[in-house]
Amino acid sequence: MRRVFGVLVAVLLLGGVAFALLQPGGDGKDKGPVTVTVNGLIGSEKREFFDDPAVRAELAAQGMAVKVQSAGSWQMGDNLDGMDFAFPASQPPADAIRTKKGITETAIRPFYSPLVIMAHESTARVLESNGLAGQDKASKVWTFRMAEYLNAIRTGRRWDQLNGDKPGDLAGDIFLTTTDPTTSSSGAMYVSLLSYLENGNQPVADAAGVERTKALLHTAITKQGSLKKSTDEPFADFLSNAGGPLVLAYESQAAELIVKKKAPEDLVVLYPDTTVYSDHTVVGLTENGRKLAGQLNGNAKLRELAASYGFRPQGDTNAFGAQLKSASGSFTLAPNLGAAKVKQASTPVPEVLQKLIDGAMRG
């Protein structure tokens, strides 16, 4: 009887060891958190951030393997099947997704980036000599004068009407190259900004405001001809000298080039004296998506990595400036937007913004 009992005990012990070995960390070693796959849609401007091995490693340390697909911010709401989160480049499309999915929780905005204008220095100097731009003597920060720009749009002002020597690529009407506002957040934010200025520095709030501003919006959009669907396309065209002389972009795109020492030597970043802050907003569609949003917002390592890609983390106001200090060269960005006297325009609610976009596209 003792022998039988001993055999049973031995079998149970061996079974227990086998069971333990089959469990995560069952060999007695700490395997870390169990990894879950988190699927999401992101704006193309965040693709390199999520592809960074350091970002992937930090997320893995928090138990997440994040898989992303790029999509236009305003297209994300139609492609949410199987997704744990959506991460558009601004708050209005995020709010539209929240409304569509019945999400009442406050959305997390882990970082932001103001809209800026990229130009070559020769172009910036022409703008400066004609009152469309200026450079602060102390900070060296460039600003773009939006009131003068709106006048140029209204009157059809051309590059050949400006004073001074001009590079050969400065021809035709003066306008900013943007993205398609029906698909891309930066294009929609451009419409929002122009409508704010045309509406007496007030966000458009009703049908009368839409009617009052749509003529200017339509002119500003149609001057461009064919529109790109995502922000990285006109950005890439500018870098290859294939695009327009004035390209609207996210500050993060220019800052990343500067931090990583890949910027063209004659790159000038102009801050519109009134601009829009693009709040990159995470909409958590599942518990795993909400967990990711919390990490992007609260994880110090991820905030530092976001700053290295030119984003301004909400939870660390010094991270962006610290990255700029580490970069060498003569490029000038504004660590403090308030000190640079850059004003922020308020954006309309998503329903009104959609009507403004329709007016801009159709007239």
Side-chain angles (χ1 to χ4, degrees):
M1 189 71 180
R2 289 178 182 173
R3 184 176 297 172
V4 172
F5 180 74
V7 170
L8 288 172
V9 170
V11 169
L12 289 171
L13 286 172
L14 287 171
V17 171
F19 176 80
L21 288 172
L22 290 172
Q23 304 310 302
D27 59 356
K29 297 180 181 179
D30 183 10
K31 297 292 187 182
V34 176
T35 300
V36 296
T37 299
V38 187
N39 297 296
L41 296 173
I42 62 168
S44 61
E45 70 288 333
K46 294 184 283 288
R47 165 64 74 175
E48 290 192 18
F49 169 75
F50 278 100
D51 284 347
D52 189 321
V55 172
R56 290 181 174 276
E58 181 58 30
L59 290 171
Q62 306 305 321
M64 288 177 283
V66 179
K67 296 184 178 180
V68 295
Q69 300 175 35
S70 298
S73 292
W74 286 102
Q75 295 176 313
M76 291 183 185
D78 299 324
N79 300 281
L80 296 174
D81 290 347
M83 296 298 163
D84 296 294
F85 71 96
F87 199 177
S90 61
Q91 188 173 351
D95 287 344
I97 292 171
R98 292 172 65 240
T99 298
K100 180 176 182 176
K101 303 297 288 187
I103 298 171
T104 58
E105 297 173 349
T106 301
I108 290 178
R109 291 171 283 173
F111 42 75
Y112 68 99
S113 185
L115 289 179
V116 299
I117 298 159
M118 296 193 308
H120 296 291
E121 185 175 4
S122 57
T123 302
R125 294 299 176 190
V126 172
L127 295 172
E128 181 182 33
S129 64
N130 287 272
L132 283 156
Q135 186 180 26
D136 185 80
K137 291 182 179 179
S139 69
K140 304 299 183 184
V141 172
W142 283 87
T143 53
F144 185 76
R145 293 168 183 160
M146 291 302 296
E148 292 298 323
Y149 173 64
L150 261 64
N151 285 333
I153 293 295
R154 292 190 194 98
T155 61
R157 197 173 185 185
R158 297 171 57 85
W159 287 104
D160 59 17
Q161 295 173 331
L162 301 186
N163 299 321
D165 294 332
K166 294 176 283 296
D169 63 332
L170 296 184
D173 288 354
I174 298 169
F175 60 84
L176 299 183
T177 298
T178 71
T179 52
D180 187 337
T182 65
T183 61
S184 169
S185 182
S186 60
M189 290 297 95
Y190 178 61
V191 168
S192 173
L193 173 59
L194 294 188
S195 70
Y196 174 89
L197 295 167
E198 185 72 348
N199 197 46
N201 293 336
Q202 294 289 333
V204 174
D206 52 27
V210 173
E211 189 65 27
R212 185 164 49 248
T213 59
K214 73 177 184 180
L216 176 78
L217 300 179
H218 185 61
T219 300
I221 292 297
T222 54
K223 279 180 181 290
Q224 302 179 55
S226 178
L227 298 167
K228 306 292 188 180
K229 292 188 178 298
S230 63
T231 312
D232 58 348
E233 293 178 87
F235 180 71
D237 286 346
F238 174 82
L239 294 179
S240 64
N241 293 315
L246 299 174
V247 176
L248 191 74
Y250 296 115
E251 180 194 48
S252 60
Q253 293 174 293
E256 180 189 353
L257 289 178
I258 293 170
V259 169
K260 299 186 183 306
K261 299 179 174 58
K262 296 180 179 179
E265 291 184 2
D266 65 342
L267 173 67
V268 168
V269 178
L270 302 101
Y271 291 84
D273 53 17
T274 301
T275 191
V276 176
Y277 292 8
S278 189
D279 292 317
H280 295 266
T281 306
V282 188
V283 181
L285 304 170
T286 66
E287 186 58 37
N288 286 334
R290 290 186 284 273
K291 179 183 176 183
L292 172 65
Q295 286 295 322
L296 291 170
N297 190 54
N299 184 304
K301 179 63 175 177
L302 291 176
R303 288 201 301 258
E304 179 184 347
L305 288 166
S308 76
Y309 281 89
F311 300 109
R312 294 176 181 256
Q314 298 278 10
D316 187 349
T317 56
N318 297 318
F320 180 80
Q323 289 291 335
L324 291 182
K325 285 182 180 179
S326 69
S328 61
S330 59
F331 308 105
T332 303
L333 296 182
N336 186 318
L337 293 170
K341 298 179 181 178
V342 175
K343 298 177 182 178
Q344 181 180 5
S346 300
T347 57
V349 298
E351 295 80 6
V352 173
L353 179 55
Q354 189 58 61
K355 292 177 181 177
L356 288 166
I357 292 170
D358 290 342
M361 299 300 290
R362 301 173 186 171

